[in-house]
Every structure is written in structure tokens, then in C-alpha cells.
Amino acid sequence: MEDVIVELTFLGTTSTTGNCPNLYLTDRGTYVVQGTRVVDPDALRVLRERGLPINEGAVEIPTELLGFASKEVPCTVS
């Protein structure tokens, strides 16, 4: 299996300590979000019922973090 390299561009954070949450844009025209992992069993149950696979996770972020996202993501994939 070949490793996939993804280039990240830091877009912003709402952290006052420089940790997380953070928002990044990838070179594939997608976003990567760093946030607090959802571990609440009831929340995970709902997410699983909605189709979250067992090999995926979810993170919680403040709505203010989305202010760093562009409504039109430049897609660099050809």
C-alpha cells in the first residue's frame, strides 16, 4: 500500500494557547479539522446510526472556527 502525502495549509484557530482547534486546507481542495475527539457514548451511537464507520472518528469544534473556511474551496486536483 502506497503512502498518500497531503500538503496542509494552516487557515486559522480559535485557540488562545496555540493548540487546537485548528483548520487546514489540503492540496486536494478539502479541509482537515483538528479538534476535541468525541468520546461520549450517546453521541457516538447517534453518529454510528447515521453511518459513521467504526474506523472513523469525529471531532467537536466551535462554530467560530468555520469562519476561516472559504465558501469556494480552490480545487488544485486535476
Side-chain angles (χ1 to χ4, degrees):
M1 185 171 173
E2 186 177 321
D3 290 337
V4 177
I5 297 173
V6 178
E7 292 182 32
L8 299 177
T9 301
F10 175 75
L11 295 179
T13 185
T14 57
S15 171
T16 57
T17 61
N19 295 326
C20 73
N22 293 314
L23 185 65
Y24 300 88
L25 180 65
T26 73
D27 60 334
R28 298 187 284 190
T30 60
Y31 290 106
V32 170
V33 178
Q34 176 187 345
T36 303
R37 187 176 359 181
V38 175
V39 294
D40 177 86
D42 290 330
L44 288 172
R45 178 186 50 76
V46 170
L47 291 167
R48 300 268 183 251
E49 288 172 357
R50 298 276 308 147
L52 183 69
I54 196 72
N55 65 325
E56 292 184 4
V59 296
E60 185 175 3
I61 61 166
T63 56
E64 295 84 11
L65 188 65
L66 297 177
F68 294 105
S70 170
K71 295 212 185 278
E72 293 184 28
V73 178
C75 185
T76 58
V77 178
S78 48

